[in-house]
Amino acid sequence: MKPVSPETDDELLIRIQGGDEQAFMSLYQRRQAPLYRFALHMCGSVSVAEDVTQEVFLVLLREGCGYDPGRGTLSGYLFGVARKLVLRQVERTRGDIALESESDENTVAQLAVTDDPLIDLTRREGIENLRRAVQALPRRYREVVVLCDLEEVDYADAAVALGCPIGTVRSRLHRARALLLEKLSSERSPRRTIAWNPVRCLS
Amino acid sequence: MNCQEYWDTMPELDALSSGVHPHLNECAACAARMNRQRQLSAGLRAVSASDRRVGAPSRVEARLRAAFRASAGITPSPWRTPWAPGIVWAAAFVVLLALAVVVMRNGSPVAPRPAPSRGAELALATHSSDDSDSEYEGFIPLPNAARLSDTEDVNVVRVEVPRSAMLALGLEVSPERASELVAADVMLGPDGLARAVRFLDAEGL
């Protein structure tokens, strides 16, 4: 007996547009978790991630939702919607925890665990350190790491979601990984705390 | 190929390239750097695996389902089929009537009214309407119940039934009050079987 292949996202979307509730819930079950995690990684707020996930699927219920199969997959489109919603939320709440606004010293202290943090990356504590390091990345690098490395979205879909060419996705990911390694390795050469004692310049 | 040219190809992003690039055999620094990249990849996979069960809470699904139904014009209903409520209420009503009959036959805890002659009952009914169904003066014949002849005596017993029982007889009942009790007179034939029912408080349906 030939196994029945599951419906594609596009097939489900056609049924959804015909008012099929079961198709809507099937698509939700299939796609909600990666979208929720993406939003959670990007904003660090459970409630925002929840709202973003909900709003992404509500977009599908609107006429002319903007999805064009010729430009990419539905999954990539949904990530793109989620990304825009996250950015909107971040701007609204000013809750971005991007690296630029964060103290490097704090980050270093959080990551300071072992002599070689890279060795422990697959252990529990190492996983948490790496998670924090990802969250401390600047947004444009964080989103590409979350999409491509954590959610295993392929580069083509990531390009759709981010609205940029695949080459840009790769170069950002390349740079993001370099930043992560720098952060994780900074324990090896921690910055020395310099006590600034005011002195009079006599020259 | 020098180091810069090698890293410009972004080799760490090509997961499928499992073979060792010749440059890594020649350059220990790049080999070490690539090793760190692989450790980072393993760490990111571990983070991904640890988050794999994380998903939106179930209330999101419930809200989306409601939104979908609203957009599709689907009225939420606790019943899977439109005829299910009628079946349930009718069954409940029949059971209650059967209980009332049993109670009457075995000595009712509710004092029955003195058995009026059917003629008296009908006398009240017939002057108000020519409709044969209204000859019971507010009594509604039960479905599939035998008709009473003019010479038969009847007993009337007062019972309390859920207001939802009215549904079985085609009366409207608001869902909010469906579980309330309502007093009803059940007309029993000489054989003790219920023939008709009259609800005493039909207001506020």
Side-chain angles (χ1 to χ4, degrees):
Chain A
M1 186 174 174
K2 188 178 179 181
V4 178
S5 59
E7 285 181 287
T8 65
D9 287 354
D10 287 349
E11 288 169 340
L12 287 175
L13 183 60
I14 291 171
R15 285 174 52 198
I16 290 169
Q17 289 166 342
D20 189 329
E21 179 183 332
Q22 186 59 42
F24 182 63
M25 301 322 297
S26 295
L27 184 66
Y28 173 78
Q29 289 294 344
R30 185 183 294 178
R31 297 295 173 197
Q32 58 89 9
L35 292 164
Y36 176 81
R37 290 193 297 263
F38 170 74
L40 189 57
H41 279 295
M42 290 304 297
C43 64
S45 163
V46 169
S47 61
V48 172
E50 192 175 316
D51 289 345
V52 166
T53 305
Q54 179 174 314
E55 189 62 29
V56 166
F57 286 92
L58 287 176
V59 167
L60 287 180
L61 300 184
R62 296 177 192 139
E63 285 193 28
C65 66
Y67 168 59
D68 178 4
R71 297 176 59 186
T73 65
L74 183 60
S75 173
Y77 167 78
L78 293 177
F79 273 115
V81 174
R83 175 177 176 263
K84 288 177 183 172
L85 292 169
V86 166
L87 294 181
R88 194 180 302 167
Q89 283 283 352
V90 167
E91 286 173 7
R92 192 178 301 164
T93 60
R94 297 181 179 274
D96 200 354
I97 55 170
L99 184 65
E100 295 91 343
S101 62
E102 209 170 57
S103 164
D104 281 350
E105 296 298 333
N106 289 341
T107 306
V108 170
Q110 288 172 345
L111 297 174
V113 178
T114 63
D115 289 342
D116 185 358
L118 293 177
I119 292 175
D120 284 337
L121 283 184
T122 56
R123 296 178 188 166
R124 184 177 168 187
E125 206 164 8
I127 288 173
E128 291 309 310
N129 289 339
L130 183 52
R131 193 194 308 278
R132 282 194 292 269
V134 170
Q135 289 177 344
L137 284 172
R139 180 188 53 77
R140 63 163 52 188
Y141 297 122
R142 191 185 341 147
E143 61 189 8
V144 75
V145 167
V146 172
L147 279 176
C148 297
D149 283 330
L150 300 188
E151 295 307 327
E152 298 173 352
V153 174
D154 63 35
Y155 296 150
D157 276 354
V160 171
L162 301 177
C164 65
I166 291 177
T168 304
V169 172
R170 284 174 60 89
S171 61
R172 282 188 192 171
L173 193 56
H174 178 71
R175 175 66 182 143
R177 286 183 172 212
L179 284 173
L180 281 175
L181 286 175
E182 283 177 24
K183 287 175 173 298
L184 293 167
S185 301
S186 59
E187 165 64 11
R188 286 179 172 175
S189 54
R191 298 177 186 178
R192 292 180 181 173
T193 302
I194 302 173
W196 292 98
N197 297 318
V199 293
R200 188 182 299 272
C201 181
L202 301 175
S203 59
Chain B
M1 177 180 279
N2 61 29
C3 298
Q4 185 62 50
E5 290 169 340
Y6 173 71
W7 287 107
D8 282 348
T9 65
M10 295 182 264
E12 79 281 9
L13 302 184
D14 296 322
L16 296 178
S17 61
S18 56
V20 178
H21 193 278
H23 177 73
L24 297 182
N25 291 329
E26 302 166 359
C27 179
C30 287
R33 182 176 168 185
M34 179 54 95
N35 188 44
R36 294 172 65 211
Q37 284 283 353
R38 291 196 177 110
Q39 288 176 334
L40 177 62
S41 294
L44 289 168
R45 281 196 298 273
V47 173
S48 175
S50 72
D51 290 345
R52 195 53 63 186
R53 292 183 180 177
V54 175
S58 57
R59 57 179 170 268
V60 176
E61 180 176 347
R63 289 199 290 256
L64 283 169
R65 190 186 295 276
F68 183 89
R69 290 179 176 180
S71 70
I74 301 171
T75 304
S77 169
W79 305 97
R80 292 183 179 275
T81 54
W83 41 264
I87 295 287
V88 173
W89 297 130
F93 185 65
V94 167
V95 168
L96 284 167
L97 283 183
L99 281 173
V101 169
V102 169
V103 167
M104 274 300 298
R105 281 184 149 175
N106 298 331
S108 169
V110 180
R113 288 193 288 170
S117 70
R118 183 164 179 270
E121 291 282 342
L122 295 180
L124 294 170
T126 49
H127 79 278
S128 59
S129 171
D130 292 331
D131 186 354
S132 61
D133 284 341
S134 65
E135 65 184 347
Y136 291 98
E137 178 61 23
F139 275 90
I140 303 170
L142 294 176
N144 302 318
R147 289 264 175 181
L148 289 168
S149 68
D150 290 343
T151 58
E152 286 179 308
D153 289 336
V154 295
N155 277 324
V156 176
V157 58
R158 181 158 296 173
V159 297
E160 285 189 327
V161 297
R163 197 173 286 274
S164 55
M166 296 169 152
L167 287 169
L169 298 172
L171 300 176
E172 292 185 359
V173 176
S174 64
E176 297 80 16
R177 304 189 64 188
S179 59
E180 291 180 5
L181 293 177
V182 60
D185 287 340
V186 178
M187 184 181 290
L188 305 174
D191 54 2
L193 296 178
R195 304 299 176 86
V197 64
R198 175 174 58 191
F199 295 100
L200 302 184
D201 177 19
E203 293 180 2
L205 300 178

